[in-house]
Amino acid sequence: MKTTNEFKKKSQTTTIRGIIVSHTHWDRAWYLPFQSFRHRLVRMIDELITVLENDANFRAFTLDGQTILLEDYLEIRPDQKPRLQQLIQSGRILIGPWYTMPDLFLVSGEAVIRNLQEGRNWCQEFGNYMAVGYLPDPFGHFAQMPQILQGFEIDSYLFMRGLDAETKDSHGAIFNWQAPDGSTVLAIYEREGYFPAGALGHNSVFGRFEGDTASLDLAQQQVEQVLDTMLPLQAEETVLLSNGFDHMPVQKEIPRILTQLNERLEGIELTQGTIPEFVKTIKSENQPHQIYQGDLIGNADQPILASVYSTRMYLKQQNHIAQRLLSSYAEPISAWLDALGWGNDARPFLHHAWRLLLKNHPHDDICGCSVDGVHEDGESRFRQIEQIGEAVLAEQLETLLQQGFVAPQQTGNDTSDVFVWNPHPWEATYTVETTIYFPNPDGEWGEPLPPLALAGCDGQGNAIAVNVVNTEAPRARSRYLETTWGRRYDIQFTVTVPPLGYQLVHVYQRLEQAVISDQANQSLPEKTTDRELVLENERYRVAVADNCLTLTEKTTDTTLSEFLQLEYQLDAGDTYSFSPVPEFEPNLAALETATVHPHKSDTLQLTYSLTVPKGYSAKTGGFGEDTLTFTVDITLTPHASVGIEINYENTVENTRIRALLPIGFSTNQSLADGHFRLVSRKKPSLRTPESHPQRYQTYPGELDYPTHHQGDFVLFPGDNYQVWVANRGLPEYEVLGDQVAITLLRAVGYLSVGKGRIRPCQAGPSVPTPGAQCQREMNAELTYGIAPLDQQTVIRYAREFAHPAWAREMPYLPYIQGRGELSRYGSLCAIDNTTIILSALKPAAEPGRLVLRLYNETEQEQEATVNFGVGVSSYCETNLLEHWNQETENAISNNRISVQFHSHEIKTLLLQSTN
């Protein structure tokens, strides 16, 4: 018997304990669509139940740490729930703690919390819970994860991807991972992945094994080899040997193989066990561990695949909209009405919408690295989430209408009310675009009203200028049990809204100019060609001259020429990794035309074009030719920034398109919006395959990515001013010296290809993914700011853009004629400290209670006063399980509380309303 050096050395002085954890890692959808994999899942669990019921020696099986597999199985086999439940309660099948296995960077921090909450709910239903932070496969792990885990009473974390080589060498595979607030979990790095003993005794960890017999000699060799690589990375004598792989069935012969191996091996005892047993044993050995702080985004032994930030960008944008709809609009408004005792319990609808959203968050889904059918299913779920959210909000507006608002202070003959909601706990000003209808006086068959000039007032009676962007008649407004024929107006106005509150804007006929032209724009000059192409306010001047867009910031007298550039570059990569083509340099689009927007006098409309290859082939290089045309709308926003909206149809393949914006000074540092914190990032020293052949040619062979992740914004502090770029669902950026590049599109044609410039190894099957070429209408929304403002003001403006006001015309209820006592403006929750960020305000599980989740994004301790616009009698501080904690219960006086925050602390409060 031949043993490897490390195993032999350690086994001479101690008995190593190898815990074999039988499991499967089950991507619900990946290189096959969901229903194809679900068919196999059902067969796998059917077999698992039979094995566990008939073989008492088969100790336990871990069902991948995501409880959605139970839901997927029971939809097909509901009759099997009692058998499944008995095995779970007895500890033979381990489930939890997650609902789905998400990508952690491409979903919001609040979505990660909801994922663990839903996983906990399923575990409670089945009577057992694996309280271990088991998340092996996502492409990186954010720094605040230990604090979130501790909020669920979880103190350990198992992961595969993300450790960098330097930390591995200094900390080993077991260390204490500490969040910025000081919360710590025991982190266990699976250097050999979640499959060091996968398919034990077979030639490959992956494949079909029907008809093949496991070889005991091979199994012994595999165990010895993996111990040789794992033992040097830990002081502990207990080793986790995971027995499973992607979509693998139960390996029924494991008890027999372990018995036979124990008879042959010396210095090691192999037992079949569970992840919690392994963690408990590691803790009992009580070895000292070093502390690690920060994100886990290294690629020492497994590729981190960071280009998924830009794959199928449309998914990231749809996810941004869906998350915002639920957590910024539907939940707070539902919480407000719930606290007032006005019924319309939205909890089951919101819960269902969140479950749909979480089904789009697995790493192979939201990352865009699956076959096309998977992402078509995802888009369908995003549409359903939008429908649910909008239906909930429409019903809540109907409830408010039935309660009755006071009369507006100004009005006219033909009127409509627009409800505008501010999702931030501070007062904010927004430019709102929405649609209203004025009914035909004589119904469907009558003549519509002529185009009317419109005016408006806010809830306090302040006059508001209303710009009619477009109007059409006759048009039908069809909503639930209502069809109204009339004239539709697309309108635009600017309004200031109270903190986490609303304004009811009254829109009416402007009497001094009753009728406008069919062009339906009240302020646009008749000859736009004679107008100077300039936008200007007290802070900025934007001008177009000589085919050049120039921005001037007035306070610092800073002028930036070529303010916006659009960059095209060939991409020979795949859905996981960008791969530049060295022989094709990036090209910049040319500014072709510039005019005033045909319907918006406060907007410049630019056209850029670029003739590029139609696509790229590894065999023939670039081929064909096509012209891309970009329509760019430039505005000056209420958020101290320049608004940029880019629209285009992508007709080419294998490409990356980015917006290049000036920083104004050279830097390699950036400060990005992260998960419950701000993240300081530095551009890495880039390596090439030629300069680092050994690193490139040895698995994983992944070089550093020059791009980074951002949430809602990235900013650059300078000596005289700060520069920031905010976005709506564009999570990838790169620092280019004195410019920042925001990725708008990355188009590729295969799930995985080898021999890329950054990653030569395969990351999955080489399956065609024509949908990943993103040949569709594309849109991108950004704002750019440069100003001598303090950092918190900049961040506030960036968040206002990323999560703007929600505005809708009030419903039509024909028999609700009277007025009521409800104010036409109000605030649900105001916080006097803008460093304290709102993560959630939602109805609690118990009627009459609210959940308020806040976090301190700074390194300093903070204090905040929270004022509520509804009656609240008491509150308690609780953890992320959101249970009432009598030990921290406090009475509330005057609907106001003062809250203390440690550095980077996430705090959850439960509030009892007075209704």
Side-chain angles (χ1 to χ4, degrees):
M1 181 181 68
K2 181 180 179 181
T3 59
T4 54
N5 292 334
E6 290 295 332
F7 172 52
K8 182 176 181 180
K9 178 181 177 181
K10 200 159 190 174
S11 64
Q12 289 175 346
T13 59
T14 186
T15 298
I16 299 166
R17 184 183 181 191
I19 297 182
I20 304 289
V21 174
S22 294
H23 76 101
T24 190
H25 171 56
W26 203 276
D27 299 300
R28 298 179 73 239
W30 178 26
Y31 60 86
L32 295 176
F34 166 67
Q35 294 295 353
S36 298
F37 274 135
R38 201 249 292 271
H39 181 91
R40 301 292 179 175
L41 173 71
V42 171
R43 299 305 189 202
M44 185 274 290
I45 296 181
D46 280 343
E47 182 182 40
L48 173 63
I49 291 173
T50 300
V51 168
L52 292 175
E53 288 180 339
N54 291 280
D55 186 356
N57 293 321
F58 200 105
R59 168 71 179 82
F61 190 89
T62 299
L63 206 54
D64 201 29
Q66 48 176 338
T67 59
I68 195 171
L69 302 185
L70 303 173
E71 179 180 339
D72 293 342
Y73 174 75
L74 292 173
E75 283 183 347
I76 304 298
R77 299 283 271 153
D79 56 307
Q80 297 302 305
K81 183 173 182 180
R83 298 172 71 195
L84 193 58
Q85 192 160 21
Q86 194 280 326
L87 290 168
I88 291 170
Q89 289 176 345
S90 65
R92 303 287 303 285
I93 295 179
L94 284 86
I95 61 171
W98 298 90
Y99 178 59
T100 61
M101 192 167 289
D103 181 86
L104 295 174
F105 283 95
L106 289 173
V107 306
S108 69
E110 184 63 30
V112 173
I113 292 172
R114 304 303 178 92
N115 198 319
L116 282 164
Q117 288 177 339
E118 184 63 18
R120 178 78 174 221
N121 291 339
W122 273 89
C123 290
Q124 287 179 328
E125 180 179 342
F126 279 81
N128 214 333
Y129 177 57
M130 187 172 76
V132 176
Y134 178 59
L135 204 63
D137 203 24
F139 309 147
H141 312 262
F142 59 76
Q144 284 279 40
M145 181 58 73
Q147 185 178 178
I148 292 175
L149 292 170
Q150 288 287 0
F152 286 93
E153 302 172 355
I154 295 173
D155 63 2
S156 58
Y157 195 64
L158 275 71
F159 70 101
M160 177 181 71
R161 305 179 194 269
L163 201 65
D164 63 278
E166 181 180 351
T167 302
K168 184 182 74 169
D169 292 341
S170 61
H171 289 56
I174 303 177
F175 54 91
N176 291 322
W177 186 18
Q178 188 176 81
D181 78 314
S183 301
T184 303
V185 297
L186 180 68
I188 299 163
Y189 170 54
E190 297 186 286
R191 187 255 184 245
E192 294 297 313
Y194 46 86
F195 42 87
L200 197 60
H202 294 280
N203 287 315
S204 172
V205 73
F206 175 78
R208 300 292 297 270
F209 302 109
E210 295 94 333
D212 188 39
T213 301
S215 164
L216 190 61
D217 289 339
L218 180 57
Q220 178 179 341
Q221 180 184 349
Q222 290 167 338
V223 169
E224 291 173 344
Q225 287 178 343
V226 75
L227 288 173
D228 195 43
T229 62
M230 296 178 69
L231 287 173
L233 294 178
Q234 63 180 67
E236 288 81 1
E237 298 168 357
T238 306
V239 181
L240 176 63
L241 300 173
S242 297
N243 167 238
F245 196 60
D246 298 355
H247 307 107
M248 293 295 287
V250 58
Q251 190 173 358
K252 295 177 287 188
E253 67 268 34
I254 280 295
R256 174 183 57 81
I257 292 175
L258 297 186
T259 298
Q260 293 173 330
L261 286 176
N262 281 327
E263 293 173 353
R264 300 176 63 167
L265 289 169
E266 297 178 0
I268 184 169
E269 178 186 356
L270 298 174
T271 60
Q272 191 178 29
T274 68
I275 293 174
E277 289 170 352
F278 168 74
V279 172
K280 183 179 180 180
T281 305
I282 290 293
K283 290 178 181 177
S284 69
E285 293 194 35
N286 200 28
Q287 294 287 344
H289 298 122
Q290 296 192 58
I291 294 175
Y292 176 83
Q293 296 174 316
D295 295 335
L296 290 166
I297 51 176
N299 56 0
D301 302 296
Q302 304 289 343
I304 200 66
L305 310 171
S307 287
V308 294
Y309 299 155
S310 54
T311 304
R312 301 185 194 255
M313 191 65 81
Y314 61 89
L315 291 176
K316 283 65 169 175
Q317 294 170 302
Q318 291 173 26
N319 182 62
H320 177 81
I321 292 170
Q323 291 179 154
R324 186 177 70 196
L325 176 63
L326 297 181
S327 61
S328 296
Y329 308 146
E331 285 187 336
I333 294 175
S334 297
W336 171 37
L337 269 66
D338 194 73
L340 292 172
W342 289 348
N344 290 329
D345 181 12
R347 289 173 182 82
F349 297 100
L350 295 172
H351 181 215
H352 182 61
W354 269 107
R355 285 172 62 178
L356 287 171
L357 183 55
L358 296 175
K359 289 178 181 179
N360 277 357
H361 284 177
H363 53 288
D364 293 308
D365 294 66
I366 192 61
C367 290
C369 49
S370 295
V371 293
D372 292 346
V374 173
H375 304 300
E376 291 164 5
D377 291 345
E379 288 195 88
S380 174
R381 281 191 288 269
F382 281 132
R383 287 192 294 270
Q384 293 176 60
I385 294 162
E386 180 182 12
Q387 293 161 12
I388 294 169
E390 294 290 344
V392 166
L393 288 164
E395 185 181 41
Q396 306 296 32
L397 293 188
E398 290 170 1
T399 300
L400 293 173
L401 192 61
Q402 291 177 66
Q403 293 296 322
F405 291 93
V406 298
Q409 296 187 30
Q410 302 180 40
T411 190
N413 294 330
D414 295 284
T415 67
S416 182
D417 285 334
V418 176
F419 184 89
V420 183
W421 176 259
N422 171 21
H424 303 286
W426 58 76
E427 182 180 86
T429 299
Y430 302 95
T431 297
V432 170
E433 294 188 20
T434 191
T435 297
I436 63 173
Y437 281 78
F438 285 171
N440 294 344
D442 298 319
E444 177 181 354
W445 306 107
E447 287 295 319
L449 292 169
L452 302 175
L454 303 179
C457 67
D458 66 14
Q460 293 115 311
N462 301 310
I464 290 179
V466 177
N467 178 39
V468 178
V469 176
N470 192 29
T471 182
E472 292 184 79
R475 301 293 294 179
R477 177 180 62 195
S478 294
R479 297 186 289 202
Y480 176 65
L481 297 181
E482 180 231 337
T483 299
T484 299
W485 284 88
R487 177 171 290 277
R488 189 192 75 197
Y489 292 87
D490 299 326
I491 62 172
Q492 180 188 69
F493 57 82
T494 300
V495 61
T496 299
V497 192
L500 200 68
Y502 69 95
Q503 285 274 15
L504 193 63
V505 174
H506 190 63
V507 181
Y508 53 93
Q509 178 183 343
R510 197 169 75 200
L511 297 178
E512 66 271 21
Q513 185 185 352
V515 178
I516 61 174
S517 71
D518 283 334
Q519 289 184 340
N521 196 294
Q522 302 165 37
S523 55
L524 185 64
E526 291 185 4
K527 289 187 177 182
T528 61
T529 54
D530 296 336
R531 175 180 162 180
E532 187 179 16
L533 297 177
V534 173
L535 299 177
E536 193 164 6
N537 61 14
E538 69 281 357
R539 186 175 300 279
Y540 297 113
R541 186 177 191 272
V542 181
V544 180
D546 300 323
N547 284 335
C548 180
L549 180 64
T550 300
L551 171 67
T552 299
E553 200 282 318
K554 296 180 179 179
T555 308
T556 59
D557 194 27
T558 301
T559 298
L560 302 170
S561 300
E562 296 290 352
F563 164 60
L564 170 67
Q565 295 177 307
L566 297 174
E567 177 198 75
Y568 165 91
Q569 189 171 5
L570 278 176
D571 184 353
D574 54 28
T575 63
Y576 296 100
S577 300
F578 171 69
S579 182
V581 181
E583 59 268 29
F584 287 90
E585 292 294 321
N587 293 329
L588 297 178
L591 176 58
E592 298 288 349
T593 65
T595 64
V596 176
H597 192 285
H599 300 304
K600 301 176 185 178
S601 61
D602 62 350
T603 302
L604 297 180
Q605 191 164 86
L606 317 178
T607 300
Y608 291 79
S609 68
L610 182 64
T611 299
V612 297
K614 181 72 175 177
Y616 173 82
S617 165
K619 293 182 178 180
T620 62
F623 61 84
E625 186 175 274
D626 204 346
T627 299
L628 294 173
T629 301
F630 305 88
T631 300
V632 181
D633 289 351
I634 303 291
T635 60
L636 298 179
T637 78
H639 317 290
S641 56
V642 179
I644 306 167
E645 182 174 352
I646 305 170
N647 292 282
Y648 59 102
E649 181 181 1
N650 178 44
T651 56
V652 299
E653 300 177 350
N654 303 98
T655 183
R656 182 176 71 177
I657 296 172
R658 305 195 293 183
L660 307 185
L661 294 160
I663 299 175
F665 50 86
S666 184
T667 183
N668 65 356
Q669 302 279 349
S670 57
L671 191 64
D673 176 40
H675 291 72
F676 301 108
R677 71 169 186 145
L678 302 176
V679 187
S680 180
R681 293 205 175 94
K682 183 178 180 180
K683 183 174 182 178
S685 299
L686 299 182
R687 299 177 286 189
T688 65
E690 294 79 13
S691 64
H692 289 75
Q694 185 175 5
R695 166 71 181 173
Y696 182 74
Q697 294 168 6
T698 304
Y699 186 87
E702 190 180 39
L703 304 179
D704 292 321
Y705 294 85
T707 52
H708 297 294
H709 172 267
Q710 65 174 342
D712 293 336
F713 59 85
V714 60
L715 62 88
F716 304 90
D719 294 335
N720 301 315
Y721 52 79
Q722 299 202 64
V723 172
W724 70 97
V725 181
N727 73 89
R728 293 174 180 165
L730 303 173
E732 183 179 270
Y733 75 96
E734 180 181 355
V735 181
L736 303 173
D738 60 353
Q739 288 182 305
V740 57
I742 309 296
T743 307
L744 310 181
L745 168 78
R746 203 168 66 80
V748 292
Y750 275 86
L751 188 73
S752 175
V753 296
K755 301 179 181 179
R757 292 286 294 176
I758 295 177
R759 193 206 81 242
C761 65
Q762 291 285 355
S766 190
V767 179
T769 54
Q773 297 286 11
C774 301
Q775 293 192 322
R776 55 167 70 195
E777 297 287 339
M778 300 293 292
N779 166 271
E781 295 177 276
L782 305 161
T783 60
Y784 173 94
I786 172 173
L789 297 172
D790 64 89
Q791 183 173 290
Q792 284 311 126
T793 299
V794 167
I795 292 172
R796 177 168 61 85
Y797 283 137
R799 294 193 192 280
E800 287 173 10
F801 172 78
H803 304 275
W806 180 81
R808 288 294 183 275
E809 183 184 29
M810 289 296 290
Y812 171 63
L813 300 178
Y815 301 108
I816 304 298
Q817 303 293 339
R819 293 291 178 182
E821 301 299 323
L822 188 59
S823 173
R824 298 181 71 85
Y825 66 96
S827 170
L828 171 58
C829 175
I831 302 175
D832 66 351
N833 184 341
T834 56
T835 67
I836 303 303
I837 306 302
L838 176 68
S839 182
L841 180 56
K842 61 173 184 170
E846 306 86 358
R849 287 181 179 170
L850 310 179
V851 175
L852 176 65
R853 188 155 28 254
L854 309 167
Y855 66 94
N856 172 14
E857 68 179 357
T858 74
E859 297 179 354
Q860 294 77 39
E861 292 192 356
Q862 300 287 345
E863 180 179 359
T865 299
V866 184
N867 288 279
F868 298 99
V870 294
V872 284
S873 59
S874 60
Y875 78 98
C876 72
E877 293 189 14
T878 185
N879 60 17
L880 296 176
L881 296 173
E882 299 178 355
H883 297 152
W884 189 268
N885 185 353
Q886 291 186 340
E887 293 181 1
T888 62
E889 183 175 345
N890 291 280
I892 297 178
S893 177
N894 299 319
N895 297 324
R896 175 182 300 177
I897 61 175
S898 180
V899 188
Q900 308 292 325
F901 291 84
H902 297 302
S903 168
H904 291 114
E905 182 179 14
I906 305 168
K907 185 161 286 191
T908 301
L909 307 178
L910 273 179
L911 304 144
Q912 180 67 54
S913 69
T914 57
N915 291 293

